[in-house]
Amino acid sequence: MDKYLKKFLYLSIAVIFALCLFILGMVFIYRNFTISNYNFIIILVIMVFIGITAFIVVSIPIILKAYRAKRIKHSLAAFAKSSLNILFPLISLLLKILKNNKDTIRRFYIDINNILTESAGIKCKPDDLMLILPHCLQNFECKIKITSDIRDCKNCDRCTIGDIKNMASDMGIKVFVVTGGTAARNVIVNEKPKIVVAVACERDLISGIFDFKNLCVIGVTNERPNGPCKDTFVNVETLRNKLDMLII
């Protein structure tokens, strides 16, 4: 049997088994629970939702104040970030139901994540800091493969890769040019940096920030005048300022 078909079959059987267990559990609850048991569960669910709602309500003014001031007290940063991690998926779900564009709220989340992370005052040595770039920063017509090593760039000035390469060399930080989110995750797992500064579109940055919640990730959105994934660019000075703030 084909290995892919075999895996699909095994997983399908596992899903059916899990569904059967769930059905048996529901039957058991139906036959053995009393009205008071149901009432207790409903009250417990209501209390959990009240607690989550109160948590979000209290944190929203803190998040807004941090966003306007571009700074927040270290003691409040973790609280605000926890609330944001609950609130953002709910807002994203609402926007999906309404079929609205998510890029605006994604950019807000990236900006406030940067503020909360930077306010924590975490810094590291240059060799513990990693800069991750998307391959679409490279000129579309360029024949040089910089995803293997950015140092292969010939500084032709047709894109910002050469300036970023020189800047990173001067600062002594690691730079990786990746072809997508999976490649970026693999680099982070293999290199184990203390801080990551990533350049990407809003969607990829959000995905990376959520995947590495226990890692300091600073996101910088790229500009896309030619549409997604082709001849994008980033302000090199903005990038340098972000990196300077994080280096000891």
Side-chain angles (χ1 to χ4, degrees):
M1 185 185 295
D2 182 276
K3 65 177 182 179
Y4 301 111
L5 180 59
K6 187 184 293 186
K7 188 168 186 179
F8 170 76
L9 183 59
Y10 286 159
L11 291 174
S12 298
I13 292 171
V15 168
I16 293 170
F17 181 71
L19 288 172
C20 289
L21 287 179
F22 178 77
I23 292 169
L24 289 173
M26 291 297 100
V27 171
F28 176 81
I29 290 172
Y30 176 76
R31 291 179 63 88
N32 294 280
F33 270 40
T34 63
I35 294 297
S36 60
N37 293 137
Y38 290 122
N39 288 340
F40 173 76
I41 291 173
I42 291 171
I43 291 171
L44 183 62
V45 170
I46 291 171
M47 294 302 294
V48 168
F49 273 89
I50 289 174
I52 293 173
T53 304
F55 182 65
I56 292 172
V57 169
V58 170
S59 65
I60 285 176
I62 298 172
I63 293 170
L64 294 178
K65 185 177 180 181
Y67 185 77
R68 288 170 180 157
K70 307 301 179 188
R71 199 75 185 168
I72 188 174
K73 291 182 180 178
H74 180 266
S75 57
L76 295 175
F79 176 82
K81 197 162 188 177
S82 297
S83 172
L84 202 62
N85 288 338
I86 296 172
L87 186 58
F88 180 77
L90 297 176
I91 292 174
S92 296
L93 178 61
L94 177 61
L95 291 176
K96 186 175 182 179
I97 293 170
L98 297 176
K99 297 182 179 179
N100 282 0
N101 190 291
K102 298 179 185 177
D103 277 352
T104 301
I105 193 63
R106 284 170 175 161
R107 186 165 288 216
F108 174 83
Y109 179 84
I110 293 163
D111 288 344
I112 194 66
N113 171 78
N114 290 349
I115 292 167
L116 298 178
T117 303
E118 290 165 358
S119 295
I122 299 173
K123 295 179 181 289
C124 68
K125 296 178 181 178
D127 54 359
D128 288 324
L129 177 62
M130 178 187 293
L131 174 60
I132 297 180
L133 306 173
H135 71 99
C136 57
L137 285 178
Q138 185 180 19
N139 183 274
F140 184 74
E141 297 178 352
C142 186
K143 304 300 182 184
I144 297 171
K145 186 179 178 182
I146 59 167
T147 50
S148 298
D149 192 337
I150 193 174
R151 290 173 296 182
D152 291 337
C153 171
K154 302 302 181 184
N155 291 81
C156 68
D157 293 329
R158 289 191 294 171
C159 66
T160 54
I161 290 293
D163 292 336
I164 296 173
K165 179 193 74 170
N166 296 336
M167 174 192 70
S169 178
D170 292 342
M171 300 177 79
I173 63 174
K174 301 174 185 175
V175 186
F176 292 88
V177 182
V178 298
T179 54
T182 301
R185 291 173 185 83
N186 289 338
V187 167
I188 292 172
V189 170
N190 292 333
E191 296 293 326
K192 297 179 175 59
K194 290 184 179 178
I195 302 176
V196 172
V197 176
V199 178
C201 63
E202 291 86 354
R203 181 180 178 180
D204 285 350
L205 286 175
I206 290 291
S207 177
I209 290 170
F210 270 91
D211 283 348
F212 295 95
K213 289 181 180 179
N214 296 324
L215 182 66
C216 292
V217 179
I218 299 292
V220 180
T221 52
N222 58 359
E223 301 300 326
R224 304 178 290 277
N226 302 298
C229 301
K230 182 180 178 181
D231 291 336
T232 64
F233 72 92
V234 64
N235 188 301
V236 179
E237 281 307 308
T238 299
L239 197 56
R240 182 188 292 274
N241 292 337
K242 291 286 185 187
L243 295 167
D244 278 336
M245 291 176 60
L246 299 168
I247 293 175
I248 296 174

